[in-house]
Amino acid sequence: MPVISATPDLDNLTLTITAEFAAPVDRVWQVYADPRQLEQIWGPPTYPATFVDFDFAPGGQARYYMTSPEGEKFGGWWKFTAIDATTSFSFTDGFADGDLNPVDGMPVSTNVYEFSPTEAGTRAVYTSTYASAEDLQKVLEMGVVEGASMAINQIDALLAA
């Protein structure tokens, strides 16, 4: 299992997930830089993602939806704020409606995904920061730790393919 820790911190308004992969940094980076690969791991296994827009550049945006086993669609959006090829990228992440437009009143997070080499491959640190403890608590109650862990744990199979 790639996820080695998931730490919510209500005082600092963060959720930090750390994972390790038996693949080089540039290969793990490709999973996030290619929307077709990202679709295979974004969201829990029973909620596959479809990215309809993906402009992986500072100022670029991504829009996607995950489909439940019952066919319900749950949308999301990203706005990329910084990209340092193969080592990190930052983005704002929020919930979207059926037309993939941002939903007012739902939590928005600022995210930094960092990738560094290890002797065995790659360590990834995913840090999400929320505007308030209430927003972080809301996504924790929605199952973000479990969902994100299941999603990240799918990466090994994609890397092995």
Side-chain angles (χ1 to χ4, degrees):
M1 294 286 217
V3 173
I4 58 174
S5 69
T7 308
D9 182 339
L10 290 171
D11 292 331
N12 290 308
L13 310 177
T14 59
L15 171 61
T16 303
I17 298 174
T18 303
E20 293 186 346
F21 305 100
V25 169
D26 62 337
R27 177 62 189 103
V28 176
W29 175 265
Q30 290 171 8
V31 172
Y32 291 93
D34 176 357
R36 302 298 76 91
Q37 291 183 59
L38 189 56
E39 287 174 338
Q40 297 177 54
I41 61 93
W42 192 256
T46 57
Y47 284 72
T50 301
F51 279 82
V52 297
D53 294 312
F54 193 81
D55 180 9
F56 194 55
Q61 296 186 37
R63 294 183 311 146
Y64 69 92
Y65 60 88
M66 293 184 291
T67 305
S68 76
E70 297 77 30
E72 295 172 282
K73 292 185 177 176
F74 300 93
W77 60 268
W78 295 351
K79 182 168 182 170
F80 297 104
T81 53
I83 296 176
D84 185 3
T86 73
T87 61
S88 68
F89 68 98
S90 303
F91 62 102
T92 305
D93 178 18
F95 293 86
D97 63 19
D99 293 323
L100 302 181
N101 296 310
V103 174
D104 291 333
M106 288 297 287
V108 173
S109 61
T110 301
N111 300 272
V112 178
Y113 286 13
E114 299 173 292
F115 308 94
S116 58
T118 65
E119 284 187 26
T122 300
R123 174 175 284 237
V125 178
Y126 309 96
T127 305
S128 301
T129 304
Y130 292 84
S132 68
E134 293 78 21
D135 283 354
L136 175 53
Q137 187 62 45
K138 185 171 191 168
V139 297
L140 291 171
E141 290 170 4
M142 294 170 75
V144 69
V145 170
E146 298 81 3
S149 295
M150 285 190 290
I152 293 166
N153 285 336
Q154 298 175 103
I155 294 175
D156 272 351
L158 177 60
L159 295 173

